[in-house]
Amino acid sequence: MARSAAAPVRRRRRGTGDGALGPPSGIVAIVGRPNVGKSTLFNRISGQRRAIVDEMAGLTRDRLYGIAEWRGRRFTVVDTAGLDPRGSTRDDAEHVALVRGTQQQARLAIAEADVICLMVDVRSGITALDEEVAGILRAGGKPIVLAGNKADSPVDPYFAHELYRLGLGEPVLVSALTGIDTGDLLDRIVDELPPPDPEAEVPASALRLAIVGRPNVGKSSLLNALAGEERALVSPLPGTTRDAVDTWLDRPEGAVQLVDTAGIRRRGVIDTDVEHYSLLRALRAMERSDVAVLVVDASTGIVAQDRHVAGYAADAGKGLVVVVNKWDLLDFETRAAPATLKTVAAAFAFVPGVPVIAGSALDGRNVSKVIAAARGVAEARSTRVPTPVLNDLLRRALEDRPPRLHKGRRLKLFYAAQAQAASPTVVLFVNDPELLHFSYRRYLEHRIRAVFAFNGVPLQLVARRRSAQQAAAS
Ligand code: GDP
Ligand code: GDP
């Protein structure tokens, strides 16, 4: 078997030449029993970009979903292990919990993912639980890619032949830990993904919003308040339907598309299963939108999951608006204190300038500001920075604070241009991308934002190698 230490590096998208990638489209779920290496694979394939947001946000643990890039395709990847707390309970019923948890992940993946990667451990061979999960998946009718993990040590015998017993076709043997052949696995996964939504690639005439947030924060109440009528609330069984019904609002300033309102309306039930289904639906709704309207509950404050969802939106290149709902439940003093909203804004500071709206879906306070704020963010997201202005601005930034020497070499910026992409992406043509350090990248981003605010919008800086001759010729 040909082996290469394939770390998932960003490959150039065919045709565009500037390295810009389209919006993420498609959900890949990694399923398997505990300890086979799901989280390790997840971290490897959703690594680079997310690590940056995580570092800024101080979010390092409990990542369950992120964005992977492979062969010019971006998609959402979900580590289902973290989705079911029963999978990791440590009590007498541990085994039962483990089995239930793993089965549950498989069903969740069948309901909400486009491609399922079933991971098994080639060193331990196939267990009864692996077979059972494979059976559930085979019946589910979704494309499945079988990964035999931990194929990294020639000393240990592999049970590769056993993997065929699962009836899922040819397995890909990988090492999530070292990256051996994870590129082959990603090839197979990308081949199985449905083609990207053509709508997502072109600027839409309508403003596409995804209302997202934890259960019970008031998403459906906000939807009703925005739509201006009490709608019949439907509650289909979780995961049984693909009823991605959108609600359209005809506003004088232009149409608004509230993406997957059926998903939003699945309200009121606090149940981990429902919560996880709605989380995956929210990811899909965000994929189809321009701006995520993240609803948080003023009475409970910001929790890690709120920030994870915002982090996902930023990774996906989507705009963000935060609605601090149930403002009516706060006492007068807390409402009046400027620190209250500042604390919320600080929790989402990894998306600079994000609008934070204190409101109440119940009494209608500030609901009318939500669409206007989202429109502002969508406009910022479609801002095109003229190339000469961008280059002047960056030249001054480099003069004001020249890059430091790194092993005797210094970053040289030949020129920069904004890529043709749905979300703001600045391509820096440099002598060596390795010389663009994290802190310097942030400095440059800060300088761009000082002129073109990009409020509530992630700004991606991509470094590309150019030789001095190439730069002079173009
Ligand atoms: P999960 O429970 O399926 O998410 O599994 P983890 O990703 O947490 O991995 C479980 C253990 O297996 C950890 O100690 C990992 O370091 C280890 N592991 C994961 N992938 C590999 C691999 O490719 N080779 C080896 N040798 N160990 C691995
Ligand atoms: P969802 O699960 O996020 O869609 O939340 P719902 O819209 O179903 O709201 C959950 C509960 O919070 C319901 O009982 C609502 O009446 C209540 N609620 C929603 N918005 C507000 C608000 O602004 N203020 C107060 N006090 N309650 C609210």
Side-chain angles (χ1 to χ4, degrees), residues 32-41 79 81 119 123 149-152 174-178:
R33 62 186 168 81
N35 278 318
V36 293
K38 296 182 296 299
S39 304
T40 308
L41 180 72
D79 175 7
M119 182 172 268
R123 289 193 191 172
N149 192 35
K150 309 199 184 180
D152 48 38
V174 298
S175 166
L177 198 63
T178 63

Side-chain angles (χ1 to χ4, degrees), residues 82-103:
L83 290 181
D84 199 306
R86 285 163 303 190
S88 58
T89 42
R90 300 210 164 272
D91 54 22
D92 292 346
E94 184 173 357
H95 182 69
V96 175
L98 180 155
V99 170
R100 251 213 83 194
T102 307
Q103 293 167 339

